Amino acid sequence: MIDQLLQTPELARRINDLLTFYGMAHAYRSGLEPGPLPPELDDVLSELQPYDIALVLEALPEPSRLVLLYVLEPQAAAEALGYLEHDQQYRLLDHLPERTIRAIVAVMPSDALVDLLGAIHPNQAQEILKRVPLEDVAQVKELLSYPEHSAGGLMTFNYLSARTEWTAAQVIDHFRKVAQNVENVNYVYVVDKAGRLAGVVSLRDIILAAPGVKVAEIMYAKVISIHVDADQEEAARLLSQYDFSAIPVVNHNNQMVGIITVDDIIDVVEEEATEDIQLIGGTEPFDKPYMQAGIRELFGKRIGWLLVLFLAESLTGSIMRSYESVLSQMIALTFFIPLLIDTGGNSGSQASTLVIRAMALGEVTPKDYFTIIWREIRLGLLLGAVMGLVAYGRALFMGGSMSLGLTVAFTIIMVVVVSTTAGATLPMIGKRIGLDPAVFSAPLITTIADGVGLLIYFRMAQLIIGIGG
Amino acid sequence: MIDQLLQTPELARRINDLLTFYGMAHAYRSGLEPGPLPPELDDVLSELQPYDIALVLEALPEPSRLVLLYVLEPQAAAEALGYLEHDQQYRLLDHLPERTIRAIVAVMPSDALVDLLGAIHPNQAQEILKRVPLEDVAQVKELLSYPEHSAGGLMTFNYLSARTEWTAAQVIDHFRKVAQNVENVNYVYVVDKAGRLAGVVSLRDIILAAPGVKVAEIMYAKVISIHVDADQEEAARLLSQYDFSAIPVVNHNNQMVGIITVDDIIDVVEEEATEDIQLIGGTEPFDKPYMQAGIRELFGKRIGWLLVLFLAESLTGSIMRSYESVLSQMIALTFFIPLLIDTGGNSGSQASTLVIRAMALGEVTPKDYFTIIWREIRLGLLLGAVMGLVAYGRALFMGGSMSLGLTVAFTIIMVVVVSTTAGATLPMIGKRIGLDPAVFSAPLITTIADGVGLLIYFRMAQLIIGIGG
């Protein structure tokens, strides 16, 4: 039920009351073992999902947060922590008793732990790393070595694997032993003696199989996998294309090193879309929720592009000054300038956002480039023709001469064609030279359209109206 | 391996050759049973994922597509078909022999079948519906009755359920019977005698439990579920917040009616982001890949907003004409018009895209509205101050007077504040009155900023420079 989300404050109050009533805060402060929870408290806590516990943690006063983490099962505490901001996670962990920290860190999913370590100060990460169980340290350090936005940075070690020679019954026995540490139970990954990925079989097929059947006989040998260095967008594309709930990650020897689960992919898909939308809106991407970014941070992310665009746009001032005599001979020309440059900007913005999004979704491959440009040229002509006609009407309606109307109309047609073509072409060139296509988005295209539009406009005025200058 | 994606044409050629070599096309045309496949062909086909088969289908010549669907296992054929465009799915199905159509339709996942029926012509849908097994028709018709973008329109019937009084062993027995028809094996949903959702238990816990344990004892009773009429965005938010791989869907009696799986949610997340990006770019949303939309369709989706914005922007012409005498007294004023209105547009575009995205991600609730407006007013002042200073410098550098510089600078400050405030406020008002916030995006904000900006500019010129008019 969704209602419970709305009830977080009451829930937090109730849990806070229970913690106080049963002397948990006292136990926490005096360093006593929490021991078995009073049934009333246990009933409330055991029915909460980790995400709900995270909401409760945020709603509790700071000291009670620590008490709650202290009394929770380490598994529940670890999973709930994973939903909080990284600095918040660290602050809470850092204040807990040594024993509790160790218990929580030991059961944190490896991807969540690595995300935390990568996001906090190296000294703080060092402190946490000291509490990681010795047998896991090497793996965690390996995960830390992968770039944040690579498949390696996204993967977790908590998967289910089996050896080719095992039987279905052996796999189920093995599963019973490790099940608590597995993030995805849909697939069993099959590896050979050297740890190379040899196949995949669904847990469903293992359960359905006769107990004595060898894994090698029922597995898919042609596994879709992703290289540990691949970009996270590649992982997102594979998972969403194949509708898998997890994908295995391999190194250059085809040895299996982890899995990426679909719940992390949703975050990637949302993150990538957010980044593109921020760029399309002319803001440098930032990876915090808007409400959590400070004024100073937002200022920093926004002023840069505003200045760049301002400087580029300054060119329009120079263009206009060089046509000062044309303007002064016919002030009415200026009436149409905002209209002209905005129509150019709008049509360029349509083309660039459509192409940027199609590229982000992997719908466009380099061999489509010329098709796209040719489409946008034709669209520019069609859209420009309609807009030019309307603009001609508007110019006459404002009492302009027919030659002014023609000047405005032809300029619009040309500006729209230039804008749609540039809007489609620049993101593709950007990708070609290794930039994020979303950089070439509406604001930049608009600026280019403005300069080009004014040049066309004044030339047209000289040509059609016959103004010298 | 990703390589195989690149090898689709060769793979398709090889499969085509094998189909011909083994006389499958002949068998298909003469209406013979395909019978057991020759091992060579079976080896190739059995290792392909449904998505790969879909790619092969697209790469094959039309007649061979039908032959391939004819010889495939119905399950594989049905899943592969699900990846094709709906009209393509229908065309292929429609050409297959009656027996093959029935076999494929019988095993299609209910959500894929319903998507297909909803997307094609009602008469065609009627034709397909005739081939749905009698016992499923009522369910499929029920699914068809839900709006496409609701939880009901997204759900599938293929889930695993158990009764509260069953034991773990009974659940596993049941699972063995129905496993082939289940889309998600992570969760077993527990219902009472009236079909009301009573709890959820992971298949993992069922396997780990002692065989005689009652489901009711190990289930979570507080299930997160979604109402069948809820919007698909709500489903996406719940699944991505809780990191579940599926979520149960209930009706108003809390009776379980289906599940939504996470792979469908990725599509929803991408679709919603695409729609927002299209609106932000000033295009009416369309639900086809860009490359598959025709010129006529793209024209239709783009011309509407261009015209609306053109008409709104026409106001700037009237504003300028009413200040004609001001302009003619100081032509240099016009040099800064593109710069002014673009800076307003850019800063408004930043604010509106950030707020639109934050709203789409559910980061913003109505109680944040005033905080956001207050933030954007302060940001507008900060950004405006910096831009104003730069603009002042630029005006002097272009040989303008100090009073012209001040006019430009103060106008920029005010335009930026108006733009960031309007950019943040309008999407929130839009939501309030039931519109998609993304409608109030960059192009519209820019247009508003232009009109307001010009009014401020001319007033300022009269005030600071002292031009009458």
Side-chain angles (χ1 to χ4, degrees):
Chain A
M1 288 352 105
I2 300 163
D3 304 347
Q4 72 196 89
L5 292 180
L6 305 171
Q7 296 166 357
T8 305
E10 284 109 279
L11 187 61
R13 245 193 312 277
R14 182 148 163 244
I15 289 174
N16 203 15
D17 290 348
L18 288 171
L19 289 173
T20 315
F21 181 80
Y22 287 108
M24 292 295 148
H26 177 73
Y28 168 72
R29 275 191 303 272
S30 52
L32 297 173
E33 279 275 2
L37 289 186
E40 202 182 346
L41 189 54
D42 190 46
D43 279 355
V44 176
L45 295 180
S46 65
E47 281 294 348
L48 292 180
Q49 294 289 335
Y51 176 72
D52 297 319
I53 298 177
L55 293 181
V56 168
L57 279 173
E58 283 179 339
L60 282 176
E62 181 99 14
S64 300
R65 293 179 191 180
L66 296 169
V67 178
L68 178 56
L69 287 172
Y70 181 69
V71 302
L72 278 171
E73 289 286 324
Q75 186 79 36
E79 286 183 38
L81 271 180
Y83 286 101
L84 302 181
E85 292 293 308
H86 293 122
D87 45 354
Q88 174 79 311
Q89 285 183 43
Y90 174 74
R91 229 193 20 252
L92 289 172
L93 271 180
D94 190 44
H95 281 79
L96 286 169
E98 186 61 26
R99 194 180 45 210
T100 315
I101 309 181
R102 285 187 188 272
I104 292 178
V105 167
V107 294
M108 267 180 112
S110 57
D111 52 349
L113 179 59
V114 167
D115 276 355
L116 170 62
L117 295 177
I120 56 183
H121 190 278
N123 291 344
Q124 299 176 331
Q126 210 51 51
E127 285 305 303
I128 300 286
L129 208 50
K130 278 185 202 153
R131 273 72 167 239
V132 173
L134 263 176
E135 66 270 25
D136 296 342
V137 170
Q139 279 197 323
V140 168
K141 282 192 174 160
E142 189 198 325
L143 278 185
L144 270 173
S145 69
Y146 298 111
E148 196 193 335
H149 293 293
S150 70
L154 205 62
M155 71 186 183
T156 165
F157 292 135
N158 310 105
Y159 60 88
L160 196 59
S161 70
R163 294 280 290 274
T164 35
E165 67 273 19
W166 288 5
T167 62
Q170 280 177 301
V171 175
I172 291 184
D173 277 350
H174 176 66
F175 175 71
R176 283 192 223 269
K177 278 185 218 128
V178 300
Q180 282 314 335
N181 258 322
V182 169
E183 269 215 19
N184 183 293
V185 301
N186 279 334
Y187 308 114
V188 181
Y189 298 98
V190 187
V191 293
D192 65 15
K193 291 201 177 85
R196 283 186 300 254
L197 184 61
V200 64
V201 55
S202 68
L203 186 63
R204 170 198 332 221
D205 288 345
I206 293 283
I207 294 176
L208 294 179
V213 166
K214 286 258 165 63
V215 167
E217 289 167 40
I218 53 173
M219 73 186 188
Y220 268 95
K222 203 166 165 191
V223 197
I224 310 287
S225 63
I226 187 162
H227 192 273
V228 70
D229 291 328
D231 192 88
Q232 63 176 6
E233 285 186 68
E234 183 60 38
R237 199 160 310 142
L238 279 175
L239 265 169
S240 79
Q241 281 173 340
Y242 283 94
D243 289 340
F244 293 149
S245 61
I247 191 170
V249 184
V250 295
N251 64 16
H252 58 283
N253 288 327
N254 198 30
Q255 283 162 320
M256 180 146 181
V257 292
I259 60 167
I260 296 174
T261 54
V262 72
D263 54 306
D264 293 325
I265 289 300
I266 292 193
D267 298 340
V268 170
V269 167
E270 284 191 334
E271 248 176 65
E272 301 281 347
T274 302
E275 254 184 45
D276 280 357
I277 288 177
Q278 288 169 343
L279 275 171
I280 286 171
T283 302
E284 240 177 278
F286 54 96
D287 55 5
K288 266 185 200 162
Y290 168 82
M291 293 303 292
Q292 273 161 38
I295 295 275
R296 190 179 306 201
E297 185 169 6
L298 284 175
F299 175 80
K301 294 295 179 184
R302 283 156 70 163
I303 191 70
W305 268 110
L306 280 186
L307 283 172
V308 168
L309 294 168
F310 183 92
L311 293 180
E313 187 72 22
S314 286
L315 195 66
T316 56
S318 310
I319 292 173
M320 290 185 70
R321 192 171 54 173
S322 69
Y323 286 94
E324 186 169 356
S325 68
V326 174
L327 278 173
S328 58
Q329 285 169 62
M330 196 171 189
I331 279 289
L333 277 176
T334 63
F335 302 165
F336 298 93
I337 288 179
L339 201 55
L340 283 177
I341 65 183
D342 253 46
T343 301
N346 289 337
S347 47
S349 147
Q350 291 181 331
S352 74
T353 44
L354 291 181
V355 170
I356 287 169
R357 184 60 183 162
M359 292 176 84
L361 290 176
E363 292 167 6
V364 168
T365 54
K367 72 173 168 39
D368 299 319
Y369 284 6
F370 287 102
T371 320
I372 291 175
I373 294 171
W374 175 226
R375 278 161 69 107
E376 288 296 331
I377 290 175
R378 282 179 296 162
L379 272 163
L381 281 169
L382 283 172
L383 294 169
V386 174
M387 301 306 293
L389 202 67
V390 179
Y392 181 73
R394 168 73 186 158
L396 296 194
F397 178 79
M398 273 181 77
S401 63
M402 245 173 79
S403 57
L404 178 61
L406 284 177
T407 304
V408 173
F410 279 115
T411 307
I412 288 254
I413 296 175
M414 284 198 275
V415 169
V416 171
V417 174
V418 168
S419 301
T420 57
T421 313
T425 311
L426 290 179
M428 297 192 286
I429 293 179
K431 172 125 190 188
R432 208 63 184 184
I433 59 176
L435 291 172
D436 186 335
V439 165
F440 296 93
S441 60
L444 198 57
I445 303 291
T446 301
T447 304
I448 295 170
D450 287 0
V452 177
L454 287 173
L455 280 176
I456 296 174
Y457 189 40
F458 293 127
R459 283 276 173 213
M460 278 289 175
Q462 291 174 323
L463 224 71
I464 298 178
I465 313 183
I467 304 173
Chain B
M1 295 345 109
I2 301 165
D3 304 347
Q4 74 196 84
L5 291 181
L6 306 171
Q7 296 167 356
T8 304
E10 284 109 280
L11 186 61
R13 247 193 310 277
R14 184 148 161 244
I15 289 174
N16 203 16
D17 290 348
L18 287 171
L19 288 174
T20 315
F21 182 80
Y22 287 109
M24 291 297 149
H26 177 73
Y28 168 73
R29 273 191 304 272
S30 51
L32 298 173
E33 279 277 359
L37 289 187
E40 201 182 347
L41 189 56
D42 188 47
D43 279 356
V44 176
L45 295 180
S46 66
E47 280 295 347
L48 291 179
Q49 294 289 336
Y51 177 71
D52 297 319
I53 298 177
L55 293 180
V56 168
L57 279 173
E58 282 179 340
L60 283 175
E62 181 98 17
S64 299
R65 294 179 189 178
L66 295 170
V67 178
L68 177 56
L69 287 171
Y70 182 67
V71 302
L72 279 171
E73 289 286 322
Q75 186 79 36
E79 285 183 38
L81 270 180
Y83 286 101
L84 302 182
E85 293 293 308
H86 293 123
D87 44 355
Q88 173 80 310
Q89 285 183 43
Y90 175 75
R91 231 197 12 255
L92 289 173
L93 271 180
D94 191 43
H95 281 79
L96 286 169
E98 186 60 27
R99 195 179 45 208
T100 316
I101 309 182
R102 285 187 186 273
I104 292 177
V105 167
V107 294
M108 267 180 111
S110 57
D111 53 349
L113 179 59
V114 167
D115 276 356
L116 171 63
L117 294 177
I120 57 183
H121 190 279
N123 290 344
Q124 299 175 332
Q126 210 51 51
E127 284 305 303
I128 300 285
L129 207 52
K130 278 186 200 150
R131 274 73 166 240
V132 173
L134 263 178
E135 65 271 26
D136 296 343
V137 169
Q139 279 196 321
V140 168
K141 282 193 173 158
E142 189 199 325
L143 279 185
L144 271 172
S145 70
Y146 298 112
E148 196 193 335
H149 294 292
S150 70
L154 205 62
M155 71 186 183
T156 165
F157 292 135
N158 310 106
Y159 61 89
L160 197 58
S161 69
R163 292 281 290 275
T164 35
E165 67 273 19
W166 287 5
T167 62
Q170 280 177 301
V171 175
I172 292 184
D173 277 349
H174 176 66
F175 175 71
R176 284 192 222 269
K177 278 184 219 128
V178 301
Q180 282 312 336
N181 258 321
V182 169
E183 271 216 18
N184 183 293
V185 301
N186 279 333
Y187 308 115
V188 181
Y189 298 98
V190 188
V191 293
D192 65 14
K193 290 199 178 87
R196 281 186 301 253
L197 184 61
V200 64
V201 56
S202 68
L203 186 63
R204 166 195 339 215
D205 288 345
I206 293 282
I207 294 175
L208 294 179
V213 167
K214 285 257 164 61
V215 166
E217 288 167 42
I218 52 172
M219 72 185 188
Y220 267 95
K222 205 167 164 191
V223 197
I224 310 285
S225 63
I226 188 163
H227 193 271
V228 70
D229 290 328
D231 192 87
Q232 62 175 6
E233 285 186 68
E234 184 59 38
R237 199 162 308 140
L238 279 175
L239 265 169
S240 79
Q241 280 172 343
Y242 283 94
D243 289 340
F244 293 148
S245 60
I247 191 169
V249 184
V250 295
N251 65 15
H252 57 283
N253 288 325
N254 198 32
Q255 284 163 319
M256 182 152 181
V257 292
I259 59 167
I260 296 174
T261 55
V262 71
D263 55 305
D264 293 325
I265 289 301
I266 292 192
D267 299 338
V268 170
V269 167
E270 285 191 335
E271 248 176 64
E272 299 282 345
T274 302
E275 253 183 44
D276 280 358
I277 288 177
Q278 288 169 343
L279 274 172
I280 286 172
T283 302
E284 238 176 281
F286 54 96
D287 56 4
K288 266 186 200 164
Y290 168 82
M291 293 302 292
Q292 274 162 37
I295 295 275
R296 190 179 307 201
E297 185 169 7
L298 284 174
F299 175 80
K301 295 295 178 185
R302 283 154 73 163
I303 191 70
W305 269 110
L306 281 186
L307 283 172
V308 168
L309 293 167
F310 183 92
L311 293 181
E313 186 74 22
S314 286
L315 195 66
T316 56
S318 309
I319 293 173
M320 289 185 72
R321 192 171 54 172
S322 68
Y323 286 93
E324 186 169 358
S325 68
V326 175
L327 279 174
S328 59
Q329 285 170 62
M330 196 172 192
I331 277 291
L333 276 175
T334 61
F335 303 165
F336 298 94
I337 288 179
L339 201 53
L340 282 176
I341 64 181
D342 254 46
T343 303
N346 289 336
S347 47
S349 148
Q350 291 181 333
S352 74
T353 44
L354 291 181
V355 170
I356 287 168
R357 184 59 181 162
M359 293 176 84
L361 290 176
E363 293 167 6
V364 169
T365 54
K367 72 175 168 39
D368 299 320
Y369 284 6
F370 287 102
T371 321
I372 292 175
I373 295 170
W374 175 226
R375 279 161 69 109
E376 289 295 332
I377 291 176
R378 282 179 296 162
L379 272 162
L381 281 169
L382 284 171
L383 295 169
V386 174
M387 301 306 293
L389 204 68
V390 179
Y392 181 73
R394 168 74 187 157
L396 294 194
F397 178 79
M398 273 182 78
S401 63
M402 245 172 77
S403 57
L404 178 61
L406 284 177
T407 303
V408 173
F410 278 115
T411 305
I412 287 253
I413 296 175
M414 286 198 274
V415 169
V416 171
V417 174
V418 168
S419 301
T420 58
T421 313
T425 311
L426 290 179
M428 298 190 289
I429 293 179
K431 172 125 187 187
R432 209 61 184 184
I433 59 176
L435 291 173
D436 187 335
V439 167
F440 296 93
S441 60
L444 198 57
I445 303 291
T446 302
T447 304
I448 294 169
D450 287 0
V452 177
L454 287 174
L455 280 176
I456 295 174
Y457 189 41
F458 293 127
R459 283 277 174 208
M460 278 289 179
Q462 290 175 323
L463 222 72
I464 298 178
I465 315 183
I467 304 173

